[in-house]
Amino acid sequence: MNKNFKLEVKHVCKQSGARYGVLHTPHGEVETPVFMPVGTLASVKFVSPEELYDMNAEIILANTYHLWLRPGADLIEKAGGLHKFSNYKGPMLTDSGGFQVFLLSENRTIKEEGVEFKNHINGSMEFMSPEISIKAQNKIGADVIMSFDECPPYPVSHEYMKDSVERTLRWAKRGQAVHNNKNQALFGIVQGGEFEDLREYSAKETVKMDFLGYSIGGTSVGESKEVMYKMVDYSIKHLPKDKPRYLMGVGSADAILESVLRGVDMFDCVLPTRIARHGTLMTSEGRVNIKNKKYEEDFGPLDPACDCYSCKNYTRAYVRHLIRVNEGLGLRLASIHNLHFLISLMEDVRLAIREDRFLDFKNDYFEKFGYNSIDSVGF
């Protein structure tokens, strides 16, 4: 048992069953449910560590695949680990690289030993295995690391998914066997696609390995929200209640709220910063395309209900101008705002859970933005 890592479930909402907790890590405590900004290359795009602290971003994510290619795990280890290398003082998480390899579907070959793929930077052939992924993450040094898994596309046959789940389980055992950084918590990943029997099997077999936390993988890969929620339902009921549950790659407000209702503790997604760079803002009034001409002479804040740095200091008209002319400051201000929006939403979620009114909170939110609980688009 890693004494530096533990989830304390502090309260379960009497109205909804959603849970509030505190995750203890070597680099500080994290209140859950939590949204984790994504810093793919050891940096949240256009946002500094100091700005992340100011918006109370408790834990951020970096990507093993990209860091393994550039600058390399050995260099990060020489720098003193990811925290010192990036000057981020709070808790950090790295994914395994499995999802990024999945995205290279036309340029990779999956074998029992691992995955051979074409480097997206220079075209060279590379190879990643469970052992290589875990050893790289041990060197990179994040507080939480992920097992190396196969993330199948959607849809696939039951037969294909069964073989994939079995391979992911074998890979999980191989990765666990070489994991040697006692300051890190290694999570197992549940796969199984849309198939209830395979989700149950994957979850139960992964739990037998006694990981310090569990991720629900294979979602947000092209399926509808209805199918995604079923994937979560099929997986989560077989996961232990005293360990963190992490839904990978989900960042729309509606999907987060639906998943919190189902007992998820951790979320990550590139959504808020990616749409910000295209001029889309997440606001209390709904989605705003700041490049729209109607904001050309709008000298109000990006979101009247927001107290982030961007909203306190800059207008819609100015940010619209910056993004339209591709000025970096515009991308920064929009990114800061969107991250602040989701982080603030999670603070409201945690308060609603502690006050036993999360179901009302979620229903009011969905009514305000016109979502339904099955296949809403969200933002």
Side-chain angles (χ1 to χ4, degrees), residues 5 83 183 193 221 230 234 257 264-265 276 279 309 344 357:
F5 187 91
H83 292 86
N183 293 318
V221 292
K230 287 180 180 179
Y234 295 157
L257 295 181
V264 175
D265 304 301
Y309 170 81
S344 295
R357 56 177 178 84

Side-chain angles (χ1 to χ4, degrees), residues 152 161 165 190-199 202 217-218 231:
M161 185 60 73
V165 165
V190 176
Q191 291 286 355
E194 63 184 310
F195 303 105
E196 183 172 8
D197 61 324
L198 295 181
R199 284 281 173 181
S202 177
M231 291 176 175

Side-chain angles (χ1 to χ4, degrees), residues 10-21 32-33 260-261 264-265 346-359 361:
K10 295 279 194 178
H11 186 77
V12 176
C13 176
K14 293 180 177 63
Q15 186 188 60
S16 66
R19 54 200 232 158
Y20 163 76
T32 63
V260 166
L261 187 64
V264 175
D265 304 301
M346 300 313 293
E347 292 173 350
D348 293 340
V349 163
R350 294 193 292 267
L351 179 61
I353 292 172
R354 295 198 305 272
E355 294 181 349
D356 296 313
R357 56 177 178 84
F358 176 70
L359 190 58
F361 176 88

